[in-house]
Amino acid sequence: MRYDQSRADKLDATMLELLLPESAVESLGRWLADPERGQRYANGSGPHSIPYTPSKWMAVEPWPSTFANRTAADSVSVSRAEVVAAVRAAEQSESWAEAFVATQVVPMKLAATTFRI
């Protein structure tokens, strides 16, 4: 199975055409206004990057070579574009485990955030 960015782009375009129900939009507005929840995202998330601490990923193998060295204890950021680049690099060597790891750094960080609407 090969990664196909065009299929991901098509899904993104389709999702942009679908409207959320009014109740969901209102709920999202309340979440964004709440300083304990989503207020820090009210003006967007910047260039779609997520901070993470590489040293917390020491036990994970194989680690994408394009990501920060896991000996770094300081927080760094990874963008969606960097994740896509890491997946593409892993695809070239058919390192599917590395491609999978690259996609998990961002979701695992998000999973640690509480999204209570």
Side-chain angles (χ1 to χ4, degrees):
M1 180 176 167
R2 299 187 62 83
Y3 176 77
D4 186 349
Q5 182 64 43
S6 66
R7 292 180 71 192
D9 292 341
K10 186 175 181 179
L11 176 61
D12 285 348
T14 300
M15 296 301 291
L16 287 172
E17 293 175 10
L18 300 174
L19 298 177
L20 291 172
E22 188 174 329
S23 61
V25 173
E26 291 169 0
S27 183
L28 180 59
R30 287 190 303 274
W31 181 79
L32 287 169
D34 188 332
E36 297 293 319
R37 297 185 181 133
Q39 191 174 44
R40 64 181 168 166
Y41 303 108
N43 293 321
S45 60
H48 300 284
S49 65
I50 292 289
Y52 73 100
T53 306
S55 61
K56 292 184 178 180
W57 292 82
M58 288 297 280
V60 177
E61 291 290 340
W63 187 248
S65 60
T66 58
F67 283 11
N69 190 309
R70 287 175 293 162
T71 59
D74 294 333
S75 181
V76 297
S77 293
V78 64
S79 69
R80 181 178 182 193
E82 290 169 319
V83 171
V84 170
V87 169
R88 287 184 177 152
E91 177 188 28
Q92 296 302 313
S93 62
E94 296 186 357
S95 178
W96 307 120
E98 185 175 324
F100 176 75
V101 169
T103 67
Q104 296 307 298
V105 172
V106 173
M108 292 303 288
K109 176 63 179 177
L110 290 174
T113 306
T114 304
F115 289 99
R116 292 174 292 168
I117 297 177

